[in-house]
């Protein structure tokens, strides 16, 4: 892979390789875009099959964070760190302290957080070396578990989608099929149940299903049957790439709206949803609550302020569909356009300011 060509094609700013022999750290920090502000994105630790796979993952995830932050109206850019290693057996304190020093060396261009394979405790170790980390223990000013906040944002986005699809944002009496009822989806089901929605759930973990059935009166189906359920809203809250050639013909819903990342296996599946008349809420727009929540820590965490910002996911979803209608494009493209328009607008504003500042200095 010609990395400079790849970075130029998608307009990345930095790709940083971090190595610490004593701890075994092999990490890659990717910074995509800092037009709106410092790049924020979590540390993912994974047993990658190759260094190239790790680099591509870091780059892809960093770019996704740029779009998520921009669409959420945050003054942040996109970045990501990946650590090559097995999170179950390769972790040690020295590794995360070394990573913290590398992050500190970027002097605030990149701020990290928890992600797949890392924990709140790992963030506490990083915090010993740098202040440019979120998602640490509440004792250090963190917001704590982000799952309830992410769930509330998904709930608000789902209500906006219902307004588009059904003419009202009320979910009372609506049937919602929830794929995966882990931490985020459990709290989502709580909001839906309280509003009077009918829930049909599935999960590969039996205990998760039993809890949803017990607490919310949900019906349950086998994991491979959830796509065949007749429902108003299909809510993917587990795996990515679940909207694909196999599952699309089986969907019996008016809306797809859930917390899972990368729900479309390929972009053409978003086109197909549009053709079928199914309202698709782009995942990085509706699941931005967790990012909004940890971003608030940068100002000294205030839950009321964070939740007020999460409320705006409702308006952001409506805005996506306004752009889709305006430009005659599917919703997934409209979400990208919404994010890009915000970045480009600030870039032009900043360019004009700098040009005017230079003109003033030349006159002195």
């Amino acid at each position: 892979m010609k990395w400079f060509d790849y970075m130029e094609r998608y307009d990345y700013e930095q790709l940083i390789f971090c190595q610490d022999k004593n701890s075994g750290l092999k990490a890659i920090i990717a910074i995509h875009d800092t037009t709106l502000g410092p790049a924020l994105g979590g540390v993912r630790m994974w047993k990658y099959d190759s260094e190239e796979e790790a680099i591509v993952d870091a780059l892809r995830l960093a770019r996704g964070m740029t779009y998520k932050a921009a669409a959420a109206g945050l003054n942040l850019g996109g970045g990501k760190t990946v650590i090559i290693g097995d999170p179950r057996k390769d972790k040690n304190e020295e590794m995360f302290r070394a990573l913290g020093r590398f992050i500190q060396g970027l002097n605030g261009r990149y701020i990290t957080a928890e992600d797949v394979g890392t924990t709140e405790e790992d963030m506490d170790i990083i915090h010993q070396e740098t202040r440019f980390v979120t998602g640490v223990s509440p004792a250090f000013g963190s917001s704590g578990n982000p799952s309830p906040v992410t769930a509330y944002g998904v709930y608000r986005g789902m209500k906006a989608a219902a307004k588009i699809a059904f003419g009202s944002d009320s979910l009372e009496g609506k049937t919602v099929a929830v794929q995966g009822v882990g931490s985020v989806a459990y709290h989502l089901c709580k909001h839906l149940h309280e509003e009077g929605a009918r829930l049909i759930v599935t999960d590969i973990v039996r205990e998760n299903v039993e809890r949803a059935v017990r607490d919310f009166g949900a019906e349950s189906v086998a994991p491979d049957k959830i796509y065949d359920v007749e429902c108003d809203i299909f809510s993917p809250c587990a795996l990515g790439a679940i909207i694909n050639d196999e599952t699309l013909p089986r969907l019996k819903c008016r809306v797809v709206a859930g917390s899972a990342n990368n729900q479309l296996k390929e972009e053409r599946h978003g086109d197909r949803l549009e053709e079928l008349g199914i309202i698709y809420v782009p995942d990085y727009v509706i699941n931005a609550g967790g990012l909004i929540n940890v971003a608030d820590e940068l100002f000294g965490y205030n839950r009321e302020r964070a939740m007020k910002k999460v409320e705006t996911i409702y308006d952001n979803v409506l805005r996506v569909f306004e752009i889709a209608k305006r430009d005659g494009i599917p919703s997934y493209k409209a979400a990208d356009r919404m994010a890009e328009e915000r970045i480009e607008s600030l870039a032009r504003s900043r360019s004009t300011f700098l040009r005017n500042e230079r003109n003033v200095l030349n006159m002195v």
Side-chain angles (χ1 to χ4, degrees), residues 358-364:
R358 285 194 297 269
N359 290 341
V360 170
L361 290 173
N362 291 335
M363 293 170 64
V364 176

Side-chain angles (χ1 to χ4, degrees), residues 262-281:
N262 304 315
Q263 294 168 23
L264 303 177
K265 184 172 183 179
E266 298 176 28
E267 289 188 347
R268 63 185 177 85
H269 296 122
D271 297 327
R272 183 59 181 150
L273 285 172
E274 178 80 3
E275 293 168 2
L276 292 170
I278 296 175
I279 298 294
Y280 168 64
V281 184

Side-chain angles (χ1 to χ4, degrees), residues 266-310:
E266 298 176 28
E267 289 188 347
R268 63 185 177 85
H269 296 122
D271 297 327
R272 183 59 181 150
L273 285 172
E274 178 80 3
E275 293 168 2
L276 292 170
I278 296 175
I279 298 294
Y280 168 64
V281 184
D283 44 58
Y284 68 76
V285 176
I286 198 172
N287 70 12
L291 174 62
I292 292 170
N293 198 52
V294 296
D296 195 82
E297 295 178 20
L298 303 175
F299 307 99
Y301 184 67
N302 180 291
R303 184 172 179 80
E304 183 179 352
R305 180 177 61 203
M307 295 305 290
K308 187 175 180 180
K309 182 69 173 175
V310 173

